[in-house]
Each structure stands twice: as C-alpha cells, then as structure tokens.
Amino acid sequence: GFPLDQTMWRSQVSDLSKDFRVIAPDLRGFGSSSPITGDDTVVTMAEFADDLAALLTTLHVKEPVTFCGLSMGGYVALALWRLDPSLVRGLVLADTRAGADDAAGRARRDEQISLARTQGSGAMADQLVQGMVGKSTRVNRPDVAERAHSMLAHAPVPGIVGALTAMRDRTDSTPTLVTIAVPTLIVVGDEDVLTP
C-alpha cells in the first residue's frame, strides 16, 4: 500500500510462511528496493509490474503466484495481469479500485506531490494516516496506527512522488476486469474511507 514498505505485511508473512512461500517485495522507491533518484520521479504502474515480473525471474519462481495487492498494490496487480497473465495464479485485491483517477483525484495527487516536495514525508504521514488506518484500529490498537505513521514518515520523498505520479496517471483497469480468469478475492474494510 502507498507509501508503505513490505514490513506492513510482517504478521501475514509470519502466518502464511508456515504453509507457503511468501514474497513481500518493496516497490521501487520504498523500503529496501532501488531508490528513485534525481529528477527520475516519473514511474508508471506498468514499470512497477515489470519490476515484480523481474523479481519473480530473479527468485527463480517457476509457477504462477497468488498476488495480493493492497490499495496501490491492487493497481499494480491489475497491471501485472495485463503484462503477463501467465504469472498470476490468483488475485487478492484489497481496498483498491479498478477505475482511474478522475479530474478531482488527479488534482488531489498533484497537491500531495507538492506537499511531499515542500514539507516532506512527515507532512504526508500526518495527512494520510487517518485514511489508512480505520477508526476502530486507531482507538483499540494505537500501536498499529503509530507503526503506519512511522512507515509513512520515513518513506523517501522521491518514492512518494514517483508513486503518486504512477497513481495519478494510471490506466483505467475497468476493461481489464472481464479478462481476469483466475480466482480473485475482493476485500474491503468496513471503515475504509478511501476506497469504500
């Protein structure tokens, strides 16, 4: 999920690793992945999908995978499906959507790009954490909200800008939905205010 790193999946990886091989990648510009440097902050969902396909090759993954994409990760999952459906055994699309940003959504992304560039990751964390962590979790599990805020606050600005650009300019995946021919689970949180 934007703009988090693979450590957000720590509990799920721990549980699922008992029965499955689990790969929790950091997308380009986040966590331990290659940084986005200089003026090279324009990234596309197709490039994120290319990166994941290359990672599977590097890790010698021969079988199709079940890909779980949260929020922006769902956009990447749909781009991966378009890139090479033979890589995908199944999909989990969590708190995401198929449609592209409308004019208001693109304007909001531009405002966030400006905020990140002028005030940094901490300001982005303050703005985003309320929408990223449900009210019940903020009340009952403040440690989860604090960990999400910390991840957000430490995300590199070039990564944030690159991801916001990719989300702003992403392809409408609605026509892609009818092409999906693998088991797909759609998950939406009751308190999700960003993609209800």
Side-chain angles (χ1 to χ4, degrees), residues 121-134:
S121 303
M124 287 295 297
D126 293 342
Q127 183 186 84
L128 294 176
V129 76
Q130 295 291 320
M132 295 185 74
V133 180

Side-chain angles (χ1 to χ4, degrees), residues 11-133:
S11 296
Q12 292 82 7
V13 168
S14 176
D15 288 344
L16 291 170
S17 292
K18 296 170 188 167
D19 298 309
F20 304 98
R21 179 179 184 188
V22 180
I23 302 165
D26 283 319
L27 293 178
R28 179 190 303 208
F30 296 102
S32 59
S33 71
S34 300
I36 296 173
T37 58
D39 293 329
D40 185 29
T41 55
V42 176
V43 184
T44 67
M45 289 300 153
E47 288 174 311
F48 285 135
D50 286 339
D51 291 346
L52 290 177
L55 176 62
L56 293 174
T57 298
T58 299
L59 295 177
H60 307 289
V61 175
K62 305 288 187 207
E63 299 294 321
V65 300
T66 298
F67 187 92
C68 178
L70 169 69
S71 189
M72 183 179 85
Y75 309 153
V76 177
L78 294 168
L80 183 66
W81 176 262
R82 284 191 300 275
L83 172 70
D84 188 351
S86 72
L87 297 174
V88 182
R89 175 182 174 184
L91 291 169
V92 178
L93 302 173
D95 296 301
T96 193
R97 60 191 171 101
D101 282 355
D102 60 14
R106 288 190 297 278
R108 201 167 33 258
R109 304 271 191 213
D110 288 336
E111 290 169 8
Q112 290 174 328
I113 288 169
S114 178
L115 179 66
R117 285 184 170 150
T118 59
Q119 297 183 39
S121 303
M124 287 295 297
D126 293 342
Q127 183 186 84
L128 294 176
V129 76
Q130 295 291 320
M132 295 185 74
V133 180

Side-chain angles (χ1 to χ4, degrees), residues 96-172:
T96 193
R97 60 191 171 101
D101 282 355
D102 60 14
R106 288 190 297 278
R108 201 167 33 258
R109 304 271 191 213
D110 288 336
E111 290 169 8
Q112 290 174 328
I113 288 169
S114 178
L115 179 66
R117 285 184 170 150
T118 59
Q119 297 183 39
S121 303
M124 287 295 297
D126 293 342
Q127 183 186 84
L128 294 176
V129 76
Q130 295 291 320
M132 295 185 74
V133 180
K135 181 180 178 183
S136 296
T137 300
R138 290 193 308 272
V139 170
N140 300 319
R141 294 286 314 272
D143 59 306
V144 172
E146 289 169 17
R147 191 165 64 96
H149 187 278
S150 179
M151 262 190 272
L152 291 161
H154 289 94
V157 170
I160 290 171
V161 171
L164 283 166
T165 303
M167 289 188 288
R168 179 195 66 200
D169 299 339
R170 74 184 181 280
T171 300
D172 182 352

